[in-house]
């Protein structure tokens, strides 16, 4: 990534200098004192991910002042370091995403959908690869349990839904477009309302003005919401010239029989048979 990238910058700090930087709803404040780095943040209130249809141009963002009583995190550095960088990273748990509707993929059919995942901002000190000081979420996601009572895992819940297409007006600096190809190889229709996306295995690429993840390929074989998962590890077709910003937290690229879907059972729609 270019050294002076405006959204994900590399910068230097002198003694007592205060640096502020805004990424979506998050504003970071970073100050250097002696061999310490002080970090605080502010988040805008977010009511939802969708933009008004009439909003054709992005609004000019006004600088956020340092809060009167900032909640500083303090980090003592091992050396006299004055160079820092900000990088996007995925959340540290899987993310459970709602489908746009009660989604149905017929047997032997496939579908490609997208989700937008809010990143965390990693603050590194020193030359690359730097010392990781903190990872600060651009949005605070609520926790959820994905699975059944006796088997499952702690995840984050995302209120926004999957989409069938991506348009330029959906680009925001703190959101990663995550393409998913779902292939139904079971002997029956796949009906689901939620998808568990294992973001710890995904890379992050910067393309033009937005962030993209490599494609997740989900091969469903009909076993109670379990699927075979594969991450491509390369920029998706929509962002083939993208620059790699972040490697996966977990280097596993293929796995078999992992719980991926929350299935819909016994749905009855008037005029249709279930």
């Amino acid at each position: 990534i270019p050294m002076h990238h405006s959204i994900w910058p590399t910068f230097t700090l002198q003694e007592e200098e205060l640096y502020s930087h805004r990424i979506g709803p998050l504003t970071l404040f970073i100050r250097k004192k002696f061999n310490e780095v002080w970090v605080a943040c502010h988040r805008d209130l977010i009511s939802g991910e969708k933009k008004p249809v009439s909003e054709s141009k992005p609004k000019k963002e006004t600088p956020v002042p340092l809060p009167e009583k900032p909640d500083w995190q303090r980090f003592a550095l091992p050396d006299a370091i004055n160079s820092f960088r900000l990088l996007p990273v995925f959340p540290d748990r899987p993310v459970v995403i709602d489908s746009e509707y009660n989604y149905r993929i017929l047997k032997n059919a496939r579908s490609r959908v997208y989700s937008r995942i809010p990143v965390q901002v990693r603050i590194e000190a020193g030359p690359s690869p730097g010392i990781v000081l903190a990872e600060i979420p651009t949005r605070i996601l609520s926790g959820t349990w994905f699975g059944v009572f006796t088997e499952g895992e702690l995840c984050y819940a995302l209120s926004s839904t999957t989409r069938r297409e991506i348009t330029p007006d959906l680009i925001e600096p703190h959101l990663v477009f995550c393409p998913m190809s779902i292939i139904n190889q079971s002997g029956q229709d796949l009906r689901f309302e939620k998808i568990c996306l294992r973001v710890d295995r995904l890379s992050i690429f910067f393309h033009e003005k937005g962030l993209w993840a490599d494609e997740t390929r989900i091969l469903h074989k009909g076993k109670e919401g379990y699927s075979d998962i594969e991450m491509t590890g390369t920029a998706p077709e929509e962002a083939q010239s993208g620059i790699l910003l972040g490697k996966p937290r977990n280097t596993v690229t293929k796995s078999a029989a992992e719980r991926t879907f929350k299935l819909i059972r016994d749905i009855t729609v008037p005029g249709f048979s279930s």
Side-chain angles (χ1 to χ4, degrees):
I1 186 170
M3 188 172 184
H4 299 292
H5 191 279
S6 60
I7 302 175
W8 303 102
T10 296
F11 58 95
T12 58
L13 278 180
Q14 304 304 320
E15 189 68 22
E16 293 290 347
E17 182 181 359
L18 177 67
Y19 176 84
S20 66
H21 187 67
R22 184 181 178 97
I23 300 173
L26 176 73
T27 300
L28 289 173
F29 302 94
I30 304 173
R31 171 172 282 161
K32 188 171 182 293
K33 283 193 172 187
F34 305 109
N35 71 323
E36 290 186 355
V37 174
W38 294 22
V39 177
C41 70
H42 168 86
R43 288 183 192 87
D44 299 339
L45 295 176
I46 297 180
S47 58
E49 290 287 355
K50 294 184 178 179
K51 293 183 178 181
V53 175
S54 60
E55 187 180 334
S56 58
K57 295 182 179 180
K59 293 180 180 179
K60 185 176 181 181
E61 295 181 341
T62 56
V64 175
L66 181 69
E68 287 187 15
K69 295 181 178 180
D71 184 14
W72 291 110
Q73 298 180 56
R74 296 170 59 176
F75 305 89
L77 299 175
D79 299 300
I81 295 173
N82 63 2
S83 91
F84 303 88
R85 68 187 309 205
L86 305 180
L87 292 169
V89 293
F90 275 112
D92 55 356
R93 302 178 196 161
V95 177
V96 177
I97 308 155
D98 288 336
S99 60
E100 190 169 3
Y101 307 100
N102 290 337
Y103 207 62
R104 182 170 182 163
I105 301 177
L106 303 185
K107 57 185 178 181
N108 300 318
R110 65 175 61 206
S111 179
R112 184 176 171 86
V113 297
Y114 303 85
S115 183
R116 299 189 301 167
I117 306 295
V119 298
Q120 299 183 0
V121 180
R122 175 178 288 172
I123 304 173
E124 291 187 356
S128 180
I131 303 167
V132 177
L133 300 182
E135 293 179 355
I136 300 178
T138 53
R139 281 187 55 195
I140 301 298
L141 301 178
S142 59
T144 188
W145 182 257
F146 186 76
V148 295
F149 180 75
T150 56
E151 179 189 355
E153 57 190 318
L154 187 61
C155 302
Y156 291 115
L158 190 64
S159 58
S160 62
T161 59
T162 58
R163 300 170 180 269
R164 289 304 309 273
E165 61 179 350
I166 292 295
T167 52
D169 61 295
L170 297 176
I171 296 175
E172 295 191 51
H174 67 296
L175 300 176
V176 187
F177 294 126
C178 297
M180 293 170 275
S181 289
I182 305 170
I183 305 167
N184 183 11
Q185 287 190 343
S186 69
Q188 58 188 2
D189 296 352
L190 169 62
R191 299 183 293 180
F192 62 93
E193 59 180 345
K194 294 181 185 295
I195 304 175
C196 181
L197 181 60
R198 303 181 187 283
V199 296
D200 62 321
R201 305 176 190 177
L202 294 172
S203 303
I204 298 179
F205 301 87
F206 184 84
H207 177 67
E208 295 181 352
K209 297 181 180 179
L211 298 175
W212 286 83
D214 44 324
E215 180 181 297
T216 299
R217 294 174 182 165
I218 304 170
L219 185 63
H220 181 67
K221 295 183 178 179
K223 183 187 174 184
E224 295 297 319
Y226 287 81
S227 305
D228 294 351
I229 310 295
E230 179 182 357
M231 281 67 180
T232 62
T234 58
E237 59 187 40
E238 298 89 345
Q240 287 186 344
S241 60
I243 301 169
L244 179 65
L245 287 191
K247 296 180 179 179
R249 292 181 183 271
N250 186 339
T251 56
V252 173
T253 57
K254 292 184 180 181
S255 59
E258 289 197 275
R259 189 181 294 274
T260 304
F261 299 105
K262 181 179 180 183
L263 301 180
I264 301 172
R265 300 182 183 280
D266 302 323
I267 296 176
T268 301
V269 180
F272 294 84
S273 59
S274 176

